[in-house]
Amino acid sequence: MERTRRSSPVSPPLEYAKEGTEDFSVLRRLLLAPEQVQLDRLRQRLDTFVVGPEEVSNVLPDAIRLRAQQDNRLLASMVPITQEALALSIKQSPQLISDSIAPILGSAIRKALSRAMREMLQSLNQTLEYSMSWQGLQWRWEAWKTGRPFVEVVLLHTLRFRVEQLFLIHKKTGLLLNHVMAEGISSQGEAAISGMLTAIQDFVRDSFQQSQDEGLESLRIGDLTVWIEQGSSAILATVIRGTPPVKLRDVLQNTLDSLHAQYSDSLKNFQGDTAVFLETRPFLEDCLQAQFVKKQKGLPVAFLVLCALLLALLGWWAYHASLHHQQWTEFLKRIGAEPGIVVTSIQEEEGRRVLHGWRDPLAVDPERLLEEVGYSSNAVGFHLEPFIALTPEMVHKRAIQVLQPPESVEVSIEGNRIVLMGESSHRWISRVDQSAMAIPGVSEISMERLIDTDVKQFETLRNALEQQAIFFLEGQGRLPDRELVKTQQVKHILQELDKEAVKLGRELSIDVMGYSSPVGSQSINLLLSEMRAKKVLDILSEPPYQVLKLAAMGKGVDPDGTSVAGEEKGYARSRRVSFKVVEAKTIHPPREAGVRKGP
Amino acid sequence: MIQKKICLLGAFAVGKTSLVKRLVSGIFSDKYLTTVGVKIDQKKLSIRGQDLMMVIWDLYGDDDFQKVRASYLQGSSGYILVIDGTRKETVDVAGKLHELAQKTIGPVPFVLLLNKHDLVDEWVVECPMVSDLRDQACLVSMVSAKTGEGVEAAFTALSEAMLRS
Ligand SMILES: Nc1nc2c(ncn2[C@@H]2O[C@H](COP(=O)(O)OP(=O)(O)O)[C@@H](O)[C@H]2O)c(=O)[nH]1
Ligand SMILES: [Mg+2]
């Protein structure tokens, strides 16, 4: 409509023209018609002024915001209505309310629970993390030295910051409205401290002529910082250990602001009764924040080193355990195979192993076996009864021990027979038979291949003697000088033979036989041969022998000499004295060479 | 719990600090008195079944009472005016401090203590001198910080007066 009128300004004047009669009116209408219409309409609107919902809806949000900034009267007037509305709403549709509250409550409860859990875990974690490290050890030492609990020392060292106490203080009186502390903090005289904090503020303010709104913002004492948030009627003093982040300040200021909004009347009319401020506790407790130094990820070096050491130790132990085991089995194998030792049982006694069984006194010392395999000998005990083993090895050992054979004799055992090989003196051989039979497990002795060195020597000497011949000149019983020397050789052989005979225990006679050549008469030859034999005997008789006896006999013409008859050379060989050993094999025990003195 | 702030007022060396010491063993040392000009202690009392935390501000001032910071008086619910019985001039100072207190905090209860009663032989202060103050005080008492005579009673009396008002 409006639009139509404005777009066709010619038509209204025509309307007025019908009504008016005066010229002036006409003129006015002609000149001011459009404005007149507008004025009329404005008047009409003012006369019937009602704020339409449209207009209110346009300004309502801003209006509420503006008013809330100005003061809290709007809030105050809203409270009863809201409360009633809420109450009514709960009455009418409780399900709706509980549905909408449930998620909030749920998450709030979850949050509270998880916070409690986190705090618990954190202190546990830290304690664990640090209890293994080098750092941890140092702190343990510190804890021990200072007498503080380890957890507390860890806390102090790992803390970046921690809000320890909050004082909500009434500004005008300096009285303490509420006070919260972090866990483990003990406090005394909060009321006095609260007053002192206010006094110090006043002091600073007065001293440096600051306005009432200004105030001390922070104090620092060593590791402690006190942050002071100023409100119109309350101040919030926060005691922080460590270095707090700046954004904590916002948290504190916001807390103080919201407390102001909530308790403005109580703060204004505060007369010393702090009961109403007990409800501020959760808000203040929310400010009890803490942050810890992050430990670098990964295992701590000290922990790794410890692990490596442990592993090495374990390896070393395992190596030794297996070596130990190896040595033990080796030992058992060895002792099991050892002749003359029979292990019947192995028992654990007082932490050591004791072997029970039998041992031939000639068997190897078991301690030596232990030593050889390298097993520690004091970890093993032996309880071995003595016995005589009849195994070939032990019989052999015993034979060696009993017979004490010279190095040139080899002793071996074949079943129950002892076999001797090699050569030995007559003295040893003559005893060996008897001794050998006394060895347990021996019932036969074989000495076929055992050579008697004394017999051998005797035979050698006998041969040597019997090949000797002393030659005489034709028809003479006198010895030429050359042959005289030879008799000395013969005498030497005889002396040796005499010694051997003593050793062998034999009586010994030597025939000294004289011969002659066939030249000449038989009777003369006999005489001559006799003469020659006696001549040699005389020479050989001195010095006397121990058992040897010499007998001179004339044999007449040499029977062998005839085979080469006719030759002067053959005859010359017949004019001689030869020797023959006649053994008188008397059996008596052999005697020491030196013991026997003369026949 | 009810908390009340009270102040100790009086000339230099009348025994204010000694009186507080009689009552509590505080956490702050006396050096705060000279540096910050105040030392604060707390004392929990039980007045007819009502717990009361008394926060006691011991103000430092030499004889020039103007040096007492008015801001420290703010918010007090009562005060203790101390006179040294052995020194006449302390009466004057007490009067002026009383005026200052009434001006700054308004008509709050106070007790008037004539201290050093143990030295009663040397007393120079006589009753007429304090008659003005005596009429307004809720209690006038002769006390001794040295012997402890009347000290606790004086604080209790002030507490009762404060709880009543
Ligand atoms: N004999 C006696 N001396 C006191 C008494 N009270 C305080 N004094 C002494 O007076 C001096 C000043 O006391 P102080 O408490 O420091 O006074 P303040 O300046 O008012 O705090 C000190 O030497 C006290 O020992 C009292 O009751 N009797
Ligand atoms: Mg003093």
Side-chain angles (χ1 to χ4, degrees):
Chain A
M1 274 280 276
E2 255 181 13
R3 187 178 267 255
T4 333
R5 272 180 206 155
R6 269 182 207 153
S7 58
S8 57
V10 189
S11 55
L14 287 178
E15 281 173 39
Y16 284 111
K18 283 178 202 163
E19 288 162 18
T21 49
E22 283 174 44
D23 292 344
F24 182 69
S25 302
V26 173
L27 181 64
R28 198 173 60 177
R29 244 179 281 149
L30 283 171
L31 287 172
L32 302 168
E35 285 78 12
Q36 186 63 50
V37 173
Q38 284 178 340
L39 278 172
D40 287 347
R41 293 191 61 212
L42 268 175
R43 193 193 306 130
Q44 196 186 342
R45 259 188 93 177
L46 283 173
D47 288 349
T48 61
F49 177 73
V50 180
V51 183
E54 252 178 49
E55 281 95 335
V56 174
S57 74
N58 281 339
V59 298
L60 190 59
D62 286 338
I64 289 176
R65 189 173 49 80
L66 280 172
R67 190 58 207 247
Q69 275 173 2
Q70 194 179 323
D71 58 31
N72 47 18
R73 270 180 60 193
L74 184 66
L75 192 72
S77 53
M78 294 271 292
V79 168
I81 303 165
T82 316
Q83 281 174 345
E84 271 171 45
L86 204 63
L88 192 67
S89 162
I90 291 171
K91 220 190 235 165
Q92 282 177 351
S93 48
Q95 192 54 45
L96 186 75
I97 297 291
S98 74
D99 280 355
S100 39
I101 280 181
I104 309 169
L105 268 185
S107 83
I109 292 169
R110 263 200 308 281
K111 227 162 120 184
L113 273 177
S114 76
R115 194 180 123 169
M117 279 297 285
R118 209 171 46 234
E119 277 168 3
M120 198 184 79
L121 278 176
Q122 191 161 39
S123 61
L124 193 74
N125 267 349
Q126 273 173 337
T127 313
L128 273 180
E129 266 177 40
Y130 286 105
S131 52
M132 284 306 290
S133 62
W134 168 240
Q135 182 88 81
L137 285 179
Q138 281 177 315
W139 290 344
R140 245 181 219 295
W141 171 247
E142 186 182 324
W144 181 79
K145 240 176 27 184
T146 56
R148 283 188 297 192
F150 178 60
V151 185
E152 199 180 306
V153 175
V154 171
L155 203 69
L156 279 179
H157 282 286
T158 56
L159 208 60
R160 189 155 280 158
F161 81 89
R162 183 195 195 198
V163 176
E164 293 195 335
Q165 301 188 55
L166 280 114
F167 294 82
L168 183 65
I169 302 170
H170 187 240
K171 196 167 189 173
K172 191 176 157 202
T173 58
L175 292 178
L176 185 61
L177 300 173
N178 206 349
H179 175 242
V180 293
M181 291 177 287
E183 222 173 294
I185 302 294
S186 61
S187 173
Q188 28 150 337
E190 303 92 66
I193 292 169
S194 167
M196 218 55 189
L197 280 167
T198 330
I200 290 169
Q201 294 230 59
D202 287 343
F203 168 75
V204 173
R205 198 156 31 225
D206 292 355
S207 308
F208 303 104
Q209 274 125 39
Q210 295 293 307
S211 83
Q212 190 60 38
D213 299 333
E214 314 274 342
L216 204 57
E217 286 194 335
S218 83
L219 301 167
R220 255 202 108 90
I221 318 108
D223 195 30
L224 282 181
T225 304
V226 184
W227 272 358
I228 300 166
E229 310 306 320
Q230 304 283 344
S232 55
S233 36
I235 58 177
L236 183 65
T238 310
V239 182
I240 307 154
R241 189 173 293 281
T243 318
V246 184
K247 69 174 197 292
L248 179 65
R249 212 128 208 168
D250 295 339
V251 174
L252 298 173
Q253 192 62 57
N254 286 342
T255 305
L256 185 60
D257 287 350
S258 76
L259 288 177
H260 261 100
Q262 229 172 317
Y263 295 93
S264 66
D265 286 345
S266 307
L267 285 170
K268 234 171 269 169
N269 306 324
F270 180 63
Q271 286 297 324
D273 189 352
T274 55
V276 66
F277 296 100
L278 286 176
E279 297 159 23
T280 61
R281 188 167 194 90
F283 298 96
L284 298 178
E285 276 177 343
D286 271 348
C287 300
L288 288 176
Q289 300 179 353
Q291 191 186 342
F292 294 89
V293 176
K294 288 238 164 40
K295 269 212 78 183
Q296 65 271 44
K297 285 282 168 221
L299 291 165
V301 177
F303 179 72
L304 284 179
V305 168
L306 204 73
C307 277
L309 274 176
L310 272 175
L311 270 176
L313 209 72
L314 201 74
W316 184 80
W317 177 81
Y319 167 74
H320 274 265
S322 91
L323 187 71
H324 205 63
H325 180 74
Q326 257 177 26
Q327 289 170 340
W328 177 246
T329 37
E330 171 70 11
F331 170 71
L332 287 184
K333 213 171 88 186
R334 293 270 290 269
I335 205 169
E338 195 58 48
I341 297 182
V342 180
V343 176
T344 54
S345 71
I346 300 168
Q347 279 157 25
E348 291 278 337
E349 288 170 21
E350 291 162 7
R352 48 188 237 150
R353 292 161 157 161
V354 177
L355 274 77
H356 293 260
W358 308 88
R359 173 175 172 263
D360 190 305
L362 291 180
V364 168
D365 183 0
E367 300 268 357
R368 238 188 60 211
L369 275 182
L370 272 183
E371 230 167 77
E372 278 172 18
V373 298
Y375 200 87
S376 90
S377 63
N378 46 5
V380 187
F382 294 98
H383 198 272
L384 301 173
E385 301 289 341
F387 84 119
I388 290 176
L390 298 181
T391 57
E393 295 95 333
M394 292 316 293
V395 173
H396 181 260
K397 247 188 185 169
R398 186 156 282 110
I400 301 286
Q401 195 210 25
V402 171
L403 304 178
Q404 307 218 319
E407 271 177 25
S408 50
V409 175
E410 198 181 302
V411 180
S412 56
I413 308 293
E414 291 170 1
N416 55 0
R417 185 154 56 133
I418 187 164
V419 179
L420 303 175
M421 271 187 290
E423 32 177 70
S424 173
S425 70
H426 181 77
R427 212 167 83 81
W428 183 78
I429 289 170
S430 60
R431 280 188 304 137
V432 82
D433 198 1
Q434 223 179 358
S435 312
M437 293 315 226
I439 296 169
V442 174
S443 55
E444 265 181 62
I445 186 159
S446 150
M447 297 195 282
E448 280 93 45
R449 284 187 280 169
L450 187 64
I451 294 155
D452 189 326
T453 47
D454 290 314
V455 172
K456 206 169 127 192
Q457 177 69 7
F458 183 85
E459 292 307 321
T460 312
L461 288 168
R462 177 214 285 258
N463 287 340
L465 181 69
E466 288 180 351
Q467 267 158 37
Q468 291 291 332
I470 310 288
F471 296 104
F472 290 79
L473 294 173
E474 193 183 358
Q476 286 187 5
R478 201 173 50 89
L479 265 178
D481 286 349
R482 183 170 45 89
E483 296 303 305
L484 208 55
V485 173
K486 218 189 234 172
T487 59
Q488 290 310 309
Q489 283 176 16
V490 172
K491 193 189 266 185
H492 181 72
I493 293 171
L494 286 174
Q495 279 168 346
E496 288 300 306
L497 264 175
D498 183 43
K499 276 187 210 161
E500 284 303 324
V502 169
K503 279 189 197 169
L504 294 173
R506 293 176 182 177
E507 302 262 313
L508 189 63
S509 324
I510 308 286
D511 289 347
V512 179
M513 299 172 296
Y515 293 95
S516 64
S517 63
V519 182
S521 75
Q522 195 157 357
S523 57
I524 284 179
N525 279 343
L526 186 66
L527 203 67
L528 199 59
S529 70
E530 229 166 82
M531 217 172 68
R532 285 174 177 160
K534 276 194 175 120
K535 179 81 181 163
V536 170
L537 180 79
D538 283 346
I539 295 168
L540 296 179
S541 294
E542 284 298 316
Y545 303 94
Q546 294 182 67
V547 290
L548 190 132
K549 287 185 180 112
L550 293 172
M553 52 188 73
K555 292 273 184 180
V557 175
D558 177 16
D560 300 331
T562 50
S563 58
V564 283
E567 274 186 38
E568 185 47 36
K569 203 182 175 186
Y571 294 150
R573 289 194 64 86
S574 295
R575 295 174 196 118
R576 70 172 200 272
V577 169
S578 286
F579 305 92
K580 184 159 171 68
V581 175
V582 182
E583 274 179 81
K585 270 196 182 170
T586 46
I587 295 157
H588 61 82
R591 278 160 292 189
E592 289 293 330
V595 170
R596 175 113 181 238
K597 292 253 192 309
Chain B
M1 161 127 53
I2 307 282
Q3 289 188 32
K4 294 289 182 189
K5 167 179 174 179
I6 65 160
C7 289
L8 279 146
L9 297 173
F12 181 69
V14 292
K16 302 183 291 293
T17 306
S18 307
L19 285 167
V20 179
K21 271 196 192 140
R22 257 285 151 197
L23 201 68
V24 290
S25 53
I27 55 170
F28 297 111
S29 87
D30 288 356
K31 74 165 186 271
Y32 289 94
L33 284 168
T34 43
T35 51
V36 187
V38 66
K39 185 177 82 100
I40 300 168
D41 283 301
Q42 65 185 58
K43 170 76 179 174
K44 201 164 154 187
L45 295 168
S46 193
I47 308 294
R48 288 191 302 271
Q50 166 74 60
D51 275 348
L52 174 75
M53 177 67 85
M54 196 152 54
V55 181
I56 308 160
W57 291 49
D58 175 11
L59 306 185
Y60 175 87
D62 45 29
D63 278 355
D64 183 1
F65 72 92
Q66 287 185 332
K67 283 204 178 158
V68 171
R69 285 177 208 287
S71 59
Y72 289 166
L73 290 173
Q74 285 284 353
S76 294
S77 301
Y79 54 94
I80 295 176
L81 212 51
V82 189
I83 290 170
D84 180 350
T86 64
R87 284 187 296 148
K88 237 185 251 172
E89 68 276 16
T90 63
V91 180
D92 271 357
V93 178
K96 282 174 181 161
L97 286 168
H98 171 65
E99 271 171 37
L100 176 71
Q102 292 291 320
K103 207 173 71 195
T104 320
I105 27 181
V108 295
F110 72 97
V111 295
L112 178 65
L113 300 183
L114 293 142
N115 192 30
K116 311 199 183 175
H117 196 227
D118 54 301
L119 305 177
V120 71
D121 296 345
E122 300 166 31
W123 272 29
V124 291
V125 173
E126 281 147 27
C127 285
M129 295 182 184
V130 295
S131 58
D132 268 4
L133 290 172
R134 183 198 218 141
D135 295 341
Q136 298 171 45
C138 58
L139 172 80
V140 182
S141 177
M142 285 176 265
V143 299
S144 166
K146 193 172 176 186
T147 63
E149 174 199 348
V151 177
E152 187 133 13
F155 280 90
T156 309
L158 182 61
S159 301
E160 282 173 354
M162 287 189 301
L163 285 179
R164 242 180 282 128
S165 68

